[in-house]
Structures are given as C-alpha cells and as structure tokens.
Amino acid sequence: FLNEKACLSLQKLYQTKNHIAMPLKFSDAMIGILLITSPRDKVSKEELMVLRQYADVASQAITNAELHMQTKKAQARRA
C-alpha cells in the first residue's frame, strides 16, 4: 500500500513510527484505505482488532452512502 519513500516522508513530517494501512473493502471490492500513523513503537493486537472493526464500519458507511446517491440519481432521472 505505502512504499518506503511515503513512510519515510510521513515519519519525518509527523514524527511517526508506525504506519498502518487498513484496506476498506466491501464484499471483494477494495473501496479505499484507512491510513493510521502513530508515534509509538508498537501497536497491540487488540488495537489492530479495533482498527479492523472501524475499517469494516467505515466500509459499510461508504458503500451505503454510494448506494443512497445512486438511488437519488435514479429517482431524479425518473421524475
């Protein structure tokens, strides 16, 4: 997801030590990436689980918003 140059730039700019790129997926489709940076040396398994859950909720919200927009456009075309 992030190449080494991008990670080094983030480290320098924000003084971060960890960069986590959590994929945002709906079904099998990748719809985005949640990028988390941290100044700490380590991230726990529990924190990663919470981030995964957050990414899942964000993916669902993004997908729902997209479906809502598509429905509104379809309704506008019929009107």
Side-chain angles (χ1 to χ4, degrees):
F1 296 132
L2 288 177
N3 64 26
E4 187 176 347
K5 186 176 180 181
C7 287
L8 290 173
S9 295
L10 285 170
Q11 275 181 313
K12 193 177 208 180
L13 186 61
Y14 297 109
Q15 298 177 352
T16 59
K17 294 180 182 177
N18 273 313
H19 307 94
I20 302 164
M22 196 67 71
L24 299 178
K25 293 170 42 173
F26 185 75
S27 295
D28 289 331
M30 177 97 124
I31 60 172
I33 295 175
L34 177 64
L35 177 62
I36 298 106
T37 61
S38 172
R40 299 181 323 187
D41 288 326
K42 294 183 180 179
V43 177
S44 71
K45 287 182 183 179
E46 291 80 16
E47 290 171 316
L48 287 175
M49 286 175 46
V50 169
L51 291 173
R52 177 73 263 159
Q53 291 171 344
Y54 183 84
D56 290 344
V57 170
S59 297
Q60 184 66 54
I62 291 166
T63 301
N64 288 346
E66 179 64 31
L67 290 172
H68 180 73
M69 287 174 44
Q70 289 174 6
T71 301
K72 287 286 196 184
K73 286 179 183 178
Q75 288 172 342
R77 283 193 298 263
R78 283 188 237 140

